[in-house]
mmCIF file of all heavy atoms in Angstrom:
data_model
loop_
_atom_site.group_PDB
_atom_site.id
_atom_site.type_symbol
_atom_site.label_atom_id
_atom_site.label_comp_id
_atom_site.label_asym_id
_atom_site.label_seq_id
_atom_site.Cartn_x
_atom_site.Cartn_y
_atom_site.Cartn_z
ATOM 1 N N LYS A 1 251.014 18.382 125.821
ATOM 2 C CA LYS A 1 252.222 18.221 126.639
ATOM 3 C C LYS A 1 252.989 16.955 126.238
ATOM 4 O O LYS A 1 254.221 16.949 126.195
ATOM 5 C CB LYS A 1 251.861 18.194 128.115
ATOM 6 C CG LYS A 1 251.423 19.554 128.640
ATOM 7 C CD LYS A 1 251.218 19.527 130.133
ATOM 8 C CE LYS A 1 250.696 20.838 130.640
ATOM 9 N NZ LYS A 1 251.611 21.942 130.508
ATOM 10 N N ILE A 2 252.266 15.894 125.934
ATOM 11 C CA ILE A 2 252.914 14.652 125.496
ATOM 12 C C ILE A 2 253.616 14.886 124.164
ATOM 13 O O ILE A 2 254.749 14.431 123.960
ATOM 14 C CB ILE A 2 251.894 13.499 125.398
ATOM 15 C CG1 ILE A 2 251.365 13.139 126.782
ATOM 16 C CG2 ILE A 2 252.515 12.281 124.721
ATOM 17 C CD1 ILE A 2 250.154 12.225 126.759
ATOM 18 N N ASP A 3 252.964 15.612 123.262
ATOM 19 C CA ASP A 3 253.582 15.916 121.967
ATOM 20 C C ASP A 3 254.847 16.747 122.149
ATOM 21 O O ASP A 3 255.851 16.522 121.472
ATOM 22 C CB ASP A 3 252.595 16.652 121.055
ATOM 23 C CG ASP A 3 251.477 15.757 120.551
ATOM 24 O OD1 ASP A 3 251.623 14.510 120.589
ATOM 25 O OD2 ASP A 3 250.438 16.301 120.113
ATOM 26 N N GLU A 4 254.795 17.711 123.072
ATOM 27 C CA GLU A 4 255.985 18.528 123.355
ATOM 28 C C GLU A 4 257.121 17.654 123.896
ATOM 29 O O GLU A 4 258.282 17.825 123.507
ATOM 30 C CB GLU A 4 255.652 19.628 124.356
ATOM 31 C CG GLU A 4 254.761 20.719 123.805
ATOM 32 C CD GLU A 4 254.272 21.677 124.872
ATOM 33 O OE1 GLU A 4 254.672 21.564 126.056
ATOM 34 O OE2 GLU A 4 253.464 22.566 124.532
ATOM 35 N N ALA A 5 256.794 16.734 124.775
ATOM 36 C CA ALA A 5 257.806 15.833 125.336
ATOM 37 C C ALA A 5 258.389 14.937 124.251
ATOM 38 O O ALA A 5 259.604 14.678 124.230
ATOM 39 C CB ALA A 5 257.203 14.994 126.460
ATOM 40 N N SER A 6 257.544 14.488 123.350
ATOM 41 C CA SER A 6 257.999 13.644 122.250
ATOM 42 C C SER A 6 258.968 14.407 121.353
ATOM 43 O O SER A 6 260.020 13.891 120.963
ATOM 44 C CB SER A 6 256.793 13.156 121.439
ATOM 45 O OG SER A 6 257.217 12.414 120.325
ATOM 46 N N THR A 7 258.622 15.649 121.054
ATOM 47 C CA THR A 7 259.496 16.485 120.226
ATOM 48 C C THR A 7 260.833 16.732 120.924
ATOM 49 O O THR A 7 261.899 16.636 120.302
ATOM 50 C CB THR A 7 258.799 17.824 119.908
ATOM 51 O OG1 THR A 7 257.589 17.552 119.190
ATOM 52 C CG2 THR A 7 259.680 18.735 119.079
ATOM 53 N N ALA A 8 260.780 17.018 122.212
ATOM 54 C CA ALA A 8 262.013 17.247 122.975
ATOM 55 C C ALA A 8 262.870 15.990 123.017
ATOM 56 O O ALA A 8 264.101 16.056 122.876
ATOM 57 C CB ALA A 8 261.678 17.715 124.390
ATOM 58 N N SER A 9 262.236 14.851 123.196
ATOM 59 C CA SER A 9 262.970 13.590 123.240
ATOM 60 C C SER A 9 263.643 13.313 121.902
ATOM 61 O O SER A 9 264.811 12.903 121.856
ATOM 62 C CB SER A 9 262.011 12.447 123.608
ATOM 63 O OG SER A 9 262.679 11.217 123.597
ATOM 64 N N GLY A 10 262.920 13.560 120.826
ATOM 65 C CA GLY A 10 263.498 13.374 119.493
ATOM 66 C C GLY A 10 264.687 14.297 119.260
ATOM 67 O O GLY A 10 265.704 13.897 118.698
ATOM 68 N N GLY A 11 264.565 15.543 119.716
ATOM 69 C CA GLY A 11 265.666 16.484 119.595
ATOM 70 C C GLY A 11 266.870 16.068 120.420
ATOM 71 O O GLY A 11 268.019 16.216 119.992
ATOM 72 N N SER A 12 266.605 15.538 121.604
ATOM 73 C CA SER A 12 267.695 15.060 122.454
ATOM 74 C C SER A 12 268.395 13.862 121.829
ATOM 75 O O SER A 12 269.618 13.731 121.913
ATOM 76 C CB SER A 12 267.164 14.689 123.841
ATOM 77 O OG SER A 12 266.682 15.837 124.501
ATOM 78 N N ALA A 13 267.626 12.996 121.192
ATOM 79 C CA ALA A 13 268.220 11.838 120.512
ATOM 80 C C ALA A 13 269.129 12.306 119.391
ATOM 81 O O ALA A 13 270.231 11.772 119.208
ATOM 82 C CB ALA A 13 267.123 10.915 119.973
ATOM 83 N N GLN A 14 268.687 13.317 118.665
ATOM 84 C CA GLN A 14 269.511 13.885 117.591
ATOM 85 C C GLN A 14 270.793 14.478 118.179
ATOM 86 O O GLN A 14 271.883 14.298 117.637
ATOM 87 C CB GLN A 14 268.729 14.952 116.821
ATOM 88 C CG GLN A 14 269.512 15.606 115.696
ATOM 89 C CD GLN A 14 269.871 14.654 114.584
ATOM 90 O OE1 GLN A 14 269.141 13.726 114.278
ATOM 91 N NE2 GLN A 14 271.025 14.875 113.976
ATOM 92 N N GLY A 15 270.658 15.171 119.306
ATOM 93 C CA GLY A 15 271.829 15.739 119.971
ATOM 94 C C GLY A 15 272.813 14.672 120.412
ATOM 95 O O GLY A 15 274.034 14.847 120.292
ATOM 96 N N ALA A 16 272.285 13.573 120.921
ATOM 97 C CA ALA A 16 273.147 12.464 121.345
ATOM 98 C C ALA A 16 273.888 11.873 120.152
ATOM 99 O O ALA A 16 275.070 11.530 120.245
ATOM 100 C CB ALA A 16 272.323 11.389 122.052
ATOM 101 N N GLU A 17 273.196 11.790 119.031
ATOM 102 C CA GLU A 17 273.821 11.264 117.819
ATOM 103 C C GLU A 17 274.950 12.190 117.352
ATOM 104 O O GLU A 17 276.045 11.735 117.000
ATOM 105 C CB GLU A 17 272.782 11.103 116.715
ATOM 106 C CG GLU A 17 273.318 10.487 115.447
ATOM 107 C CD GLU A 17 272.243 10.210 114.417
ATOM 108 O OE1 GLU A 17 271.121 10.723 114.541
ATOM 109 O OE2 GLU A 17 272.545 9.478 113.471
ATOM 110 N N GLU A 18 274.689 13.487 117.378
ATOM 111 C CA GLU A 18 275.710 14.453 116.964
ATOM 112 C C GLU A 18 276.908 14.442 117.922
ATOM 113 O O GLU A 18 278.056 14.510 117.484
ATOM 114 C CB GLU A 18 275.091 15.849 116.883
ATOM 115 C CG GLU A 18 274.101 15.979 115.742
ATOM 116 C CD GLU A 18 273.276 17.260 115.806
ATOM 117 O OE1 GLU A 18 273.512 18.102 116.699
ATOM 118 O OE2 GLU A 18 272.380 17.399 114.955
ATOM 119 N N ALA A 19 276.637 14.355 119.214
ATOM 120 C CA ALA A 19 277.725 14.288 120.191
ATOM 121 C C ALA A 19 278.529 13.004 120.000
ATOM 122 O O ALA A 19 279.760 12.994 120.148
ATOM 123 C CB ALA A 19 277.165 14.367 121.612
ATOM 124 N N GLY A 20 277.833 11.918 119.673
ATOM 125 C CA GLY A 20 278.519 10.654 119.415
ATOM 126 C C GLY A 20 279.446 10.754 118.216
ATOM 127 O O GLY A 20 280.564 10.211 118.231
ATOM 128 N N ALA A 21 278.990 11.458 117.195
ATOM 129 C CA ALA A 21 279.837 11.641 116.005
ATOM 130 C C ALA A 21 281.073 12.454 116.355
ATOM 131 O O ALA A 21 282.189 12.137 115.907
ATOM 132 C CB ALA A 21 279.037 12.320 114.895
ATOM 133 N N ALA A 22 280.897 13.481 117.169
ATOM 134 C CA ALA A 22 282.047 14.289 117.592
ATOM 135 C C ALA A 22 283.009 13.452 118.439
ATOM 136 O O ALA A 22 284.228 13.548 118.291
ATOM 137 C CB ALA A 22 281.572 15.511 118.374
ATOM 138 N N ALA A 23 282.453 12.630 119.328
ATOM 139 C CA ALA A 23 283.298 11.775 120.160
ATOM 140 C C ALA A 23 284.044 10.757 119.300
ATOM 141 O O ALA A 23 285.206 10.436 119.579
ATOM 142 C CB ALA A 23 282.444 11.062 121.213
ATOM 143 N N ALA A 24 283.380 10.256 118.261
ATOM 144 C CA ALA A 24 284.037 9.297 117.371
ATOM 145 C C ALA A 24 285.226 9.955 116.675
ATOM 146 O O ALA A 24 286.280 9.333 116.509
ATOM 147 C CB ALA A 24 283.037 8.766 116.344
ATOM 148 N N ASP A 25 285.042 11.220 116.275
ATOM 149 C CA ASP A 25 286.144 11.947 115.635
ATOM 150 C C ASP A 25 287.344 12.090 116.573
ATOM 151 O O ASP A 25 288.478 12.151 116.124
ATOM 152 C CB ASP A 25 285.679 13.339 115.185
ATOM 153 C CG ASP A 25 284.720 13.280 114.004
ATOM 154 O OD1 ASP A 25 284.647 12.229 113.330
ATOM 155 O OD2 ASP A 25 284.032 14.303 113.764
ATOM 156 N N LEU A 26 287.058 12.126 117.882
ATOM 157 C CA LEU A 26 288.121 12.255 118.876
ATOM 158 C C LEU A 26 288.669 10.900 119.322
ATOM 159 O O LEU A 26 289.609 10.834 120.111
ATOM 160 C CB LEU A 26 287.614 13.028 120.101
ATOM 161 C CG LEU A 26 287.197 14.478 119.844
ATOM 162 C CD1 LEU A 26 286.541 15.060 121.080
ATOM 163 C CD2 LEU A 26 288.402 15.312 119.424
ATOM 164 N N GLY A 27 288.038 9.830 118.830
ATOM 165 C CA GLY A 27 288.491 8.490 119.191
ATOM 166 C C GLY A 27 288.048 8.035 120.566
ATOM 167 O O GLY A 27 288.637 7.121 121.140
ATOM 168 N N ALA A 28 287.024 8.643 121.091
ATOM 169 C CA ALA A 28 286.527 8.307 122.432
ATOM 170 C C ALA A 28 285.474 7.202 122.311
ATOM 171 O O ALA A 28 284.276 7.453 122.351
ATOM 172 C CB ALA A 28 285.958 9.547 123.111
ATOM 173 N N ARG A 29 285.943 5.981 122.189
ATOM 174 C CA ARG A 29 285.054 4.851 121.920
ATOM 175 C C ARG A 29 284.018 4.627 123.022
ATOM 176 O O ARG A 29 282.848 4.357 122.741
ATOM 177 C CB ARG A 29 285.888 3.586 121.724
ATOM 178 C CG ARG A 29 285.053 2.400 121.337
ATOM 179 C CD ARG A 29 285.903 1.208 121.004
ATOM 180 N NE ARG A 29 285.030 0.104 120.625
ATOM 181 C CZ ARG A 29 285.338 -1.145 120.751
ATOM 182 N NH1 ARG A 29 286.505 -1.488 121.234
ATOM 183 N NH2 ARG A 29 284.495 -2.079 120.391
ATOM 184 N N ASN A 30 284.418 4.717 124.277
ATOM 185 C CA ASN A 30 283.473 4.499 125.380
ATOM 186 C C ASN A 30 282.355 5.532 125.370
ATOM 187 O O ASN A 30 281.203 5.221 125.640
ATOM 188 C CB ASN A 30 284.198 4.525 126.732
ATOM 189 C CG ASN A 30 285.071 3.312 126.945
ATOM 190 O OD1 ASN A 30 284.884 2.274 126.308
ATOM 191 N ND2 ASN A 30 286.033 3.428 127.832
ATOM 192 N N VAL A 31 282.719 6.763 125.054
ATOM 193 C CA VAL A 31 281.720 7.833 124.977
ATOM 194 C C VAL A 31 280.760 7.554 123.833
ATOM 195 O O VAL A 31 279.542 7.716 123.973
ATOM 196 C CB VAL A 31 282.402 9.216 124.816
ATOM 197 C CG1 VAL A 31 281.372 10.305 124.578
ATOM 198 C CG2 VAL A 31 283.252 9.539 126.035
ATOM 199 N N VAL A 32 281.296 7.126 122.708
ATOM 200 C CA VAL A 32 280.465 6.814 121.542
ATOM 201 C C VAL A 32 279.465 5.720 121.891
ATOM 202 O O VAL A 32 278.268 5.837 121.587
ATOM 203 C CB VAL A 32 281.332 6.382 120.334
ATOM 204 C CG1 VAL A 32 280.468 5.876 119.198
ATOM 205 C CG2 VAL A 32 282.217 7.533 119.873
ATOM 206 N N GLU A 33 279.928 4.669 122.554
ATOM 207 C CA GLU A 33 279.039 3.566 122.925
ATOM 208 C C GLU A 33 277.966 4.033 123.906
ATOM 209 O O GLU A 33 276.797 3.676 123.773
ATOM 210 C CB GLU A 33 279.856 2.413 123.519
ATOM 211 C CG GLU A 33 280.719 1.704 122.496
ATOM 212 C CD GLU A 33 281.675 0.688 123.118
ATOM 213 O OE1 GLU A 33 281.646 0.486 124.350
ATOM 214 O OE2 GLU A 33 282.445 0.098 122.346
ATOM 215 N N GLY A 34 278.353 4.849 124.878
ATOM 216 C CA GLY A 34 277.390 5.364 125.848
ATOM 217 C C GLY A 34 276.345 6.246 125.189
ATOM 218 O O GLY A 34 275.147 6.140 125.476
ATOM 219 N N LEU A 35 276.789 7.113 124.295
ATOM 220 C CA LEU A 35 275.847 7.995 123.605
ATOM 221 C C LEU A 35 274.947 7.219 122.648
ATOM 222 O O LEU A 35 273.789 7.590 122.459
ATOM 223 C CB LEU A 35 276.603 9.105 122.871
ATOM 224 C CG LEU A 35 277.209 10.166 123.784
ATOM 225 C CD1 LEU A 35 278.143 11.085 122.999
ATOM 226 C CD2 LEU A 35 276.124 10.966 124.479
ATOM 227 N N ALA A 36 275.456 6.154 122.073
ATOM 228 C CA ALA A 36 274.623 5.312 121.211
ATOM 229 C C ALA A 36 273.491 4.685 122.023
ATOM 230 O O ALA A 36 272.345 4.609 121.564
ATOM 231 C CB ALA A 36 275.464 4.242 120.531
ATOM 232 N N GLN A 37 273.814 4.264 123.242
ATOM 233 C CA GLN A 37 272.778 3.701 124.114
ATOM 234 C C GLN A 37 271.753 4.761 124.510
ATOM 235 O O GLN A 37 270.551 4.505 124.521
ATOM 236 C CB GLN A 37 273.406 3.092 125.368
ATOM 237 C CG GLN A 37 274.197 1.835 125.101
ATOM 238 C CD GLN A 37 274.908 1.328 126.350
ATOM 239 O OE1 GLN A 37 274.906 1.974 127.389
ATOM 240 N NE2 GLN A 37 275.524 0.156 126.237
ATOM 241 N N VAL A 38 272.238 5.957 124.813
ATOM 242 C CA VAL A 38 271.339 7.058 125.162
ATOM 243 C C VAL A 38 270.411 7.363 123.985
ATOM 244 O O VAL A 38 269.204 7.528 124.152
ATOM 245 C CB VAL A 38 272.150 8.316 125.570
ATOM 246 C CG1 VAL A 38 271.248 9.546 125.644
ATOM 247 C CG2 VAL A 38 272.847 8.085 126.902
ATOM 248 N N LYS A 39 270.975 7.437 122.787
ATOM 249 C CA LYS A 39 270.164 7.720 121.603
ATOM 250 C C LYS A 39 269.101 6.652 121.406
ATOM 251 O O LYS A 39 267.935 6.962 121.134
ATOM 252 C CB LYS A 39 271.031 7.833 120.359
ATOM 253 C CG LYS A 39 270.178 8.178 119.126
ATOM 254 C CD LYS A 39 270.958 8.128 117.849
ATOM 255 C CE LYS A 39 270.132 8.449 116.638
ATOM 256 N NZ LYS A 39 268.875 7.757 116.489
ATOM 257 N N THR A 40 269.479 5.398 121.561
ATOM 258 C CA THR A 40 268.525 4.305 121.409
ATOM 259 C C THR A 40 267.386 4.436 122.419
ATOM 260 O O THR A 40 266.212 4.308 122.066
ATOM 261 C CB THR A 40 269.229 2.937 121.578
ATOM 262 O OG1 THR A 40 270.211 2.805 120.546
ATOM 263 C CG2 THR A 40 268.246 1.790 121.495
ATOM 264 N N GLN A 41 267.734 4.736 123.648
ATOM 265 C CA GLN A 41 266.704 4.882 124.685
ATOM 266 C C GLN A 41 265.813 6.084 124.409
ATOM 267 O O GLN A 41 264.588 6.019 124.601
ATOM 268 C CB GLN A 41 267.354 4.992 126.061
ATOM 269 C CG GLN A 41 267.996 3.690 126.509
ATOM 270 C CD GLN A 41 268.804 3.836 127.785
ATOM 271 O OE1 GLN A 41 269.179 4.932 128.174
ATOM 272 N NE2 GLN A 41 269.075 2.712 128.427
ATOM 273 N N LEU A 42 266.383 7.173 123.945
ATOM 274 C CA LEU A 42 265.574 8.346 123.611
ATOM 275 C C LEU A 42 264.665 8.081 122.413
ATOM 276 O O LEU A 42 263.518 8.540 122.377
ATOM 277 C CB LEU A 42 266.473 9.555 123.354
ATOM 278 C CG LEU A 42 267.111 10.166 124.601
ATOM 279 C CD1 LEU A 42 268.214 11.147 124.216
ATOM 280 C CD2 LEU A 42 266.060 10.837 125.468
ATOM 281 N N ASP A 43 265.171 7.344 121.435
ATOM 282 C CA ASP A 43 264.328 6.973 120.291
ATOM 283 C C ASP A 43 263.147 6.121 120.751
ATOM 284 O O ASP A 43 262.013 6.315 120.301
ATOM 285 C CB ASP A 43 265.140 6.211 119.238
ATOM 286 C CG ASP A 43 266.075 7.102 118.430
ATOM 287 O OD1 ASP A 43 265.845 8.338 118.393
ATOM 288 O OD2 ASP A 43 267.026 6.568 117.838
ATOM 289 N N GLU A 44 263.414 5.183 121.662
ATOM 290 C CA GLU A 44 262.339 4.338 122.197
ATOM 291 C C GLU A 44 261.327 5.171 122.980
ATOM 292 O O GLU A 44 260.115 4.973 122.855
ATOM 293 C CB GLU A 44 262.924 3.231 123.077
ATOM 294 C CG GLU A 44 263.704 2.188 122.298
ATOM 295 C CD GLU A 44 264.475 1.221 123.192
ATOM 296 O OE1 GLU A 44 264.453 1.362 124.435
ATOM 297 O OE2 GLU A 44 265.126 0.318 122.633
#
């Protein structure tokens, strides 16, 4: 179960990174910063 949670967390971090890239393309700086923080926390 811990391994499954770890895999899910890693996938969510990847999703946050991809969403951040999309937000950057739209010029949504605050969203990019928020998603960067989320990704960092998910990586941790």
Side-chain angles (χ1 to χ4, degrees):
K1 289 186 184 294
I2 294 168
D3 289 341
E4 290 171 4
S6 176
T7 299
S9 177
S12 295
Q14 179 65 33
E17 183 174 15
E18 291 169 4
D25 289 343
L26 297 172
R29 184 174 181 207
N30 289 339
V31 174
V32 172
E33 290 172 3
L35 288 170
Q37 290 175 354
V38 168
K39 182 187 179 311
T40 298
Q41 291 172 342
L42 287 167
D43 285 340
E44 291 170 358

